[in-house]
Amino acid sequence: MFSLRATKAARFLRLSRPNVSSTSLFHRHVNCRPSSLGALYLNGRSFTSTRTNRLDPRSLMKDLDSELFNYTIGRFLTNDAENLRQRRRVFDIPGLFEIIAKAMNCKTEQIVDFRKLGDGVYNRVFLVTLDTNTQLVASIPYPVIAPKTYIVASEVATMDFLRSKGLPIPKIYGYSFKADNEANTEYILMEYVKGTDISKIWNSLGEDEIASLMKQLVKVESTMMSIPFPAGGCIYYAKDLKEITGKEGIPIGQQQNEPGVALEEARFCMGPDVSINLWYGHREQLDVFRGPYEDTESVVVAGAKKEMAYLDQFGTPRLPVRHLRRKCYDYKQQSPLDHATNLKRYLLLAPFLVPRDPSMNVFCIRHPNLTEGSIRVTFTGSSDAPSGIQIVSVSDWQNASVLPLFMHAAIPAWVSNGEDKVPKSMVKPTLPEDFEELPAEEQQYQMELLRPELAHYYYVMNMEVCNERNYKAIMDPLNAFRRKIITYASNPWEGETIELLHMLIEFVHNWPTDKDLPPCPVSFTSEEVQAEQKLYDDLRGADRREMIVRMVTRCGPLPEAWVPAEHYEEAKAMAQELKQEALEKSEPHEYEKINENWPFDDFDEKVYL
């Protein structure tokens, strides 16, 4: 379909190694743009007072088209105007200054600097400086985020709870999960932890620093995942959940024996899960169970039952949202009934996904999307960090859920070697023997390859010692399969059911011949299996074409196709050039279909909500 510049494409693939995992409108929330405070560009304008001219917050409201209210870190090759509109948030800056002054017990005149740090996936983030040199972060969510009230309330309580356990989490100064306040917006005020984001120094770290960093990270996770919970879902302040829902949550701390601990934790409770796939689009309107979960099976089936309810109320035939896959379906709209059928099959099999080992089903919490941009470090010579690097903050706790251990059991993507399985015998990665003889450019490339391999190696080695339960769960042969099929059953339906069907067939095909298990409650005909395999193989080819398109345009996952703002015009031109080339080389009967289904043209996203 495409005739591409192979040399340029190969070079980009080597240097950037783009993530080509499953992508969709839904996945834009998790893997196509900078997702953390640390990943933000720190190039916002600074609004600063002087001795003769104090900072007047009213003056900042004069230009409502300024970067303070708009998304400026990136652009989108599809539906750019709509995506930017969804991330525009005008709020009352003088009102926010009043809120900050109350929270910090100071006067508004003492706010001497206010600057935009940047735009994350969920929030616009600002750095506030007082005349005492105290700094704090003001985080304001985008209008598009849902369920905003739950997300803000849960993030604040989660951070406070984990900080109370001694974990390196920024302190909360103030928050509001409602917009009816002086600032006319929801907000979180939190400590600004001084240090350096790992994302900014990763390419300069040596092996000793990587080893030390992974050891500290595993210890932080071990402490976090060892905290007991009475149920699954998300953490809230008990008073906030009662205000939001009118209902009581499940208290945290009642299972503790120490009176002081129980008293402290009585402020917190378990409430509804804010995982994005449970609330995406019209799903927010559904009256379905989202927790708190009292047992593992209720977690395993909640997402599938939610999606069944969605299909029943909002399901309509639609083309796959991933445009380059549409040819494999003869450009025909797909019926929601097919996905509903597979969800029913999944629900029959779901009880058998619950691990038999009780230790795999204990409820625990883990960072929802840990990246190198979520971790801030300082350089010191302490005994805890002999290499000189020390973790001082872990941020970005939106959508953090308490789930059964096996559902959290995975290696963070940024320290993973790209494989689901961990080999039983880990071999320390090294540079090629002829490294010194290689050209400088190749040496740089080999070092780029080595760092994530070293991170993976030291992470796994430390996890085996310091976080045995997580290591045990990851080493379970069924671990990756369980997490994948549960995810596919819970994901929003966007015109395809193939991933779930493929996993179901694999599950049925490998049904264990255990005398304690009943016969498999689901079956497939040989014709169904053959048709699925052919479509699955065809789609892998479409995915490879998508990878090439993304590689050449240097964009994030389709269909949204995020690019850095400074790269937008070049990427847009490249996308148009690719389309023209594809049309020129197409057969007459394909011309209109390619033109109508081009992945970088604007389309109606509302169909997929």
Side-chain angles (χ1 to χ4, degrees):
M1 180 176 178
F2 302 105
S3 174
L4 303 172
R5 299 174 179 82
T7 302
K8 181 177 181 180
R11 175 63 180 160
F12 181 75
L13 178 61
R14 285 175 57 182
L15 292 181
S16 65
R17 293 175 295 149
N19 179 358
V20 293
S21 60
S22 177
T23 55
S24 64
L25 284 174
F26 163 69
H27 282 93
R28 69 177 160 193
H29 293 284
V30 292
N31 68 355
C32 65
R33 295 187 299 283
S35 60
S36 65
L37 177 61
L40 302 170
Y41 291 139
L42 304 182
N43 62 353
R45 282 192 297 152
S46 176
F47 300 90
T48 310
S49 68
T50 67
R51 292 182 178 179
T52 58
N53 182 27
R54 76 178 182 85
L55 180 58
D56 181 4
R58 292 172 300 178
S59 67
L60 305 183
M61 299 297 298
K62 292 181 179 179
D63 182 9
L64 298 185
D65 291 326
S66 79
E67 64 176 11
L68 294 176
F69 308 113
N70 292 286
Y71 188 86
T72 56
I73 192 176
R75 300 285 297 274
F76 307 85
L77 298 185
T78 60
N79 297 345
D80 183 57
E82 175 63 15
N83 278 297
L84 294 180
R85 184 194 67 78
Q86 291 175 349
R87 290 156 181 80
R88 173 175 165 82
R89 185 61 182 266
V90 176
F91 57 97
D92 191 297
I93 296 178
L96 181 63
F97 275 34
E98 293 287 347
I99 290 171
I100 293 170
K102 292 176 184 177
M104 303 306 292
N105 193 26
C106 68
K107 298 179 180 180
T108 57
E109 292 83 358
Q110 291 181 262
I111 301 174
V112 297
D113 191 54
F114 183 78
R115 73 176 65 188
K116 174 181 168 180
L117 284 178
D119 307 295
V121 168
Y122 300 95
N123 315 290
R124 185 150 299 120
V125 185
F126 302 87
L127 180 64
V128 184
T129 304
L130 307 182
D131 60 3
T132 58
N133 290 327
T134 299
Q135 292 183 304
L136 64 146
V137 170
S139 176
I140 294 178
Y142 302 137
V144 72
I145 300 305
K148 197 180 303 153
T149 297
Y150 288 90
I151 287 176
V152 173
S154 177
E155 180 181 2
V156 167
T158 299
M159 292 177 67
D160 191 13
F161 178 79
L162 294 177
R163 181 179 172 86
S164 74
K165 297 298 182 180
L167 292 164
I169 311 294
K171 181 179 179 180
I172 299 294
Y173 294 131
Y175 70 100
S176 176
F177 53 76
K178 296 185 291 186
D180 58 345
N181 54 56
E182 297 97 320
N184 294 325
T185 181
E186 305 84 356
Y187 65 85
I188 300 176
L189 304 179
M190 69 184 80
E191 174 188 14
Y192 176 74
V193 180
K194 294 183 178 180
T196 305
D197 297 323
I198 290 297
S199 60
K200 300 187 182 306
I201 59 173
W202 179 250
N203 289 335
S204 64
L205 294 182
E207 181 176 343
D208 289 345
E209 291 167 323
I210 292 174
S212 176
L213 179 64
M214 292 302 109
K215 184 176 182 178
Q216 294 176 61
L217 177 59
V218 169
K219 285 185 176 180
V220 167
E221 287 194 315
S222 179
T223 299
M224 184 188 314
M225 298 178 74
S226 298
I227 301 171
F229 290 92
C234 284
I235 302 171
Y236 299 84
Y237 291 124
K239 62 179 181 61
D240 286 352
L241 187 62
K242 184 67 179 294
E243 180 179 349
I244 294 169
T245 66
K247 300 177 182 178
E248 304 284 349
I250 297 177
I252 298 176
Q254 63 182 12
Q255 80 278 25
Q256 301 287 343
N257 295 321
E258 303 90 341
V261 173
L263 182 63
E264 165 65 17
E265 294 187 349
R267 298 188 298 128
F268 303 97
C269 69
M270 297 306 304
D273 189 347
V274 298
S275 295
I276 296 170
N277 57 6
L278 296 175
W279 301 85
Y280 183 70
H282 293 309
R283 292 158 188 82
E284 187 177 5
Q285 303 172 29
L286 298 175
D287 182 17
V288 295
F289 176 71
R290 300 182 179 90
Y293 312 112
E294 297 192 33
D295 55 67
T296 300
E297 187 172 337
S298 63
V299 181
V300 172
V301 302
K305 288 184 175 180
K306 168 270 307 177
E307 204 59 16
M308 288 284 291
Y310 169 83
L311 294 176
D312 182 60
Q313 189 167 343
F314 299 104
T316 56
R318 61 194 63 167
L319 289 165
V321 73
R322 299 174 65 181
H323 291 58
L324 289 178
R325 284 184 158 205
R326 292 178 177 180
K327 182 179 180 181
C328 301
Y329 295 93
D330 295 325
Y331 299 103
K332 294 179 180 178
Q333 291 187 335
Q334 300 302 295
S335 170
L337 298 179
D338 293 338
H339 194 54
T341 296
N342 288 326
L343 288 171
K344 291 175 183 177
R345 288 166 167 165
Y346 169 84
L347 290 171
L348 290 173
L349 296 171
F352 303 100
L353 290 171
V354 178
R356 297 186 183 184
D357 184 347
S359 68
M360 297 295 100
N361 297 315
V362 297
F363 287 110
C364 66
I365 191 169
R366 198 179 190 191
H367 195 284
N369 184 31
L370 189 68
T371 69
E372 60 268 54
S374 307
I375 302 171
R376 180 156 283 201
V377 299
T378 57
F379 291 89
T380 178
S382 70
S383 57
D384 293 333
S387 70
I389 190 169
Q390 185 166 12
I391 296 176
V392 293
S393 174
V394 181
S395 59
D396 308 316
W397 291 95
Q398 305 95 340
N399 302 104
S401 299
V402 175
L403 298 171
L405 173 66
F406 79 93
M407 292 184 66
H408 280 314
I411 298 174
W414 69 283
V415 298
S416 172
N417 61 3
E419 300 177 359
D420 287 324
K421 297 179 180 179
V422 176
K424 292 183 178 180
S425 177
M426 291 288 291
V427 178
K428 182 179 176 181
T430 59
L431 291 168
E433 292 183 1
D434 62 345
F435 177 78
E436 297 298 334
E437 285 73 44
L438 296 175
E441 183 181 11
E442 185 64 21
Q443 286 187 356
Q444 180 183 355
Y445 172 62
Q446 291 297 332
M447 288 298 298
E448 291 171 355
L449 291 180
L450 181 64
R451 285 192 185 92
E453 293 291 337
L454 285 172
H456 178 264
Y457 172 79
Y458 284 112
Y459 182 90
V460 172
M461 290 295 98
N462 283 286
M463 180 175 56
E464 184 176 6
V465 176
C466 302
N467 197 352
E468 295 182 29
R469 287 196 311 177
N470 191 42
Y471 181 81
K472 177 183 176 183
I474 289 177
M475 294 300 290
D476 185 335
L478 293 178
N479 170 63
F481 178 87
R482 285 192 185 103
R483 289 186 294 105
K484 281 184 179 179
I485 194 170
I486 293 169
T487 299
Y488 289 143
S490 183
N491 277 350
W493 182 67
E494 293 179 330
E496 294 185 90
T497 191
I498 185 65
E499 269 76 21
L500 177 58
L501 177 59
H502 184 76
M503 299 295 281
L504 288 170
I505 290 175
E506 183 178 345
F507 196 179
V508 171
H509 178 73
N510 293 289
W511 189 261
T513 57
D514 190 327
K515 63 180 181 180
D516 295 332
L517 286 178
C520 184
V522 173
S523 62
F524 294 95
T525 66
S526 58
E527 291 78 12
E528 287 177 308
V529 174
Q530 291 173 7
E532 181 278 328
Q533 189 60 56
K534 181 181 184 305
L535 177 59
Y536 191 80
D537 290 342
D538 289 345
L539 291 171
R540 298 289 76 77
D543 293 347
R544 286 190 289 272
R545 290 192 291 275
E546 178 180 316
M547 180 189 70
I548 294 173
V549 169
R550 287 179 55 197
M551 179 178 62
V552 173
T553 56
R554 303 184 185 183
C555 71
L558 304 178
E560 198 173 44
W562 181 93
V563 295
E566 66 272 18
H567 179 54
Y568 176 72
E569 294 299 336
E570 178 187 355
K572 194 74 174 175
M574 178 62 74
Q576 187 60 36
E577 183 180 332
L578 287 175
K579 179 179 182 179
Q580 188 62 36
E581 188 174 328
L583 291 173
E584 290 175 357
K585 294 182 178 297
S586 66
E587 298 294 332
H589 67 279
E590 288 185 314
Y591 185 95
E592 286 302 323
K593 293 297 183 182
I594 292 174
N595 188 48
E596 293 171 2
N597 295 277
W598 186 246
F600 295 122
D601 288 344
D602 289 351
F603 68 100
D604 185 4
E605 290 187 13
K606 295 179 181 178
V607 173
Y608 299 94
L609 296 179

